[in-house]
Amino acid sequence: MIEEQTFLGAGVIINPQVKIGVGCIINTGAIIEHDCSIGKFSHIAPGAVLAGNISIGSGCMIGANAVIKQGVKIGDNVIIGAGAVVLKDVNSNTIFVGNPAKQI
């Protein structure tokens, strides 16, 4: 289900059972695998990959070419840096960067 006022860029792949909240941006070439949930007003940058069964809170920014491992939960108002590889859950109001991603 994709809510109102959500933008989908060229080449985006969205697989079954995905929920995308109001006012999101899913940018060019992003891949959203099965059973993911994205909160309202979040931005998934170009080339980002969300493996299956991921929960992303509201107001998040997932950077270009970031990869989020299957089953990870990301809180509200989180920034994931470009190219980051997120292997574990991320608390709200934090910034994670690197491979593997670490809080800064």
Side-chain angles (χ1 to χ4, degrees):
M1 176 174 71
I2 300 173
E3 295 285 340
E4 296 176 355
Q5 301 173 351
T6 290
F7 168 81
L8 301 177
V12 167
I13 297 172
I14 299 175
N15 281 308
Q17 303 300 315
V18 170
K19 296 177 185 174
I20 301 174
V22 171
C24 290
I25 298 170
I26 312 299
N27 222 320
T28 307
I31 299 172
I32 314 296
E33 287 293 348
H34 64 90
D35 301 302
C36 288
S37 172
I38 301 172
K40 61 185 178 180
F41 306 112
S42 288
H43 180 179
I44 310 301
V49 176
L50 278 59
N53 195 29
I54 292 173
S55 173
I56 295 182
S58 296
C60 293
M61 169 57 190
I62 309 301
N65 296 312
V67 176
I68 316 282
K69 179 185 165 278
Q70 187 167 0
V72 168
K73 293 179 180 11
I74 295 177
D76 295 331
N77 305 310
V78 169
I79 297 173
I80 304 294
V85 177
V86 180
L87 303 175
K88 61 183 182 177
D89 292 355
V90 174
N91 292 327
S92 293
N93 306 306
T94 55
I95 300 172
F96 272 65
V97 298
N99 180 4
K102 294 185 182 352
Q103 185 176 353
I104 59 169

